[in-house]
Amino acid sequence: MNIDIPEGQDPIGYVWGELVPGIGPAAATFSLSVYEHTTLELREFEAARLRVAQINGCLYCLDWRTERDGRKVEEDFPEAVTHWRTTTVFDTRTRLAAEYAERYALDHHGLDDAFWTRMTAHYTQREIVELTMSIGAWLSFGRLNHVLGLDTACVLPGH
């Protein structure tokens, strides 16, 4: 871990809730809001979220699975996200969500007119803004967890 955590404190809870009280809880609220208020389908949402987690390398984020109405994506979904270009299990919107997440994280200057033509053919303006805000949250907060080493303290058993 790259910061000191007081004995007996949960690293994520301490950093996100106590260490910077004017910022941490607000960041946590924003982070949770993308899960609580999304209008995106679970597979689209998870394709973008997992692609960002793969790029960030956040172990906590990679282990996390969003649950909605008692449902989660299938066990092999992360593998499909890794191969979003060639997988046969994604519909167009899910593939676009993974592509957008990757390009946003790695080459946001390369989001050209051809991409936006495809994106706007399948997503509403509201959905695009929602997805953009979600990807931004995952990118920044997953990197925060990874860079500070918080993700290694919170990984599920077996990882």
Side-chain angles (χ1 to χ4, degrees), residues 19-117:
L19 188 58
V20 286
I23 300 171
T29 298
F30 175 57
S31 179
L32 291 173
S33 73
V34 302
Y35 294 90
E36 293 173 2
H37 303 290
T38 186
T39 63
L40 300 169
E41 293 294 323
L42 179 62
R43 290 174 62 80
E44 302 158 5
F45 186 86
E46 277 294 271
R49 190 196 65 73
L50 275 166
R51 190 65 197 119
V52 171
Q54 291 167 346
I55 291 165
N56 279 345
C58 176
L59 300 174
Y60 180 77
C61 303
L62 287 166
D63 279 338
W64 176 262
R65 293 298 173 271
T66 303
E67 184 175 327
R68 226 184 270 151
D69 300 323
R71 292 182 21 248
K72 293 183 180 183
V73 293
E74 59 274 14
E75 287 294 318
D76 59 349
F77 193 81
E79 183 66 20
V81 171
T82 301
H83 303 289
W84 64 264
R85 288 174 184 81
T86 58
T87 186
T88 59
V89 300
F90 282 0
D91 63 14
T92 302
R93 284 176 56 103
T94 304
R95 189 179 315 280
L96 270 170
E99 179 183 358
Y100 186 34
E102 181 176 298
R103 292 178 74 174
Y104 183 109
L106 298 175
D107 184 24
H108 62 284
H109 292 287
L111 292 167
D112 56 11
D113 289 343
F115 171 80
W116 287 113
T117 297

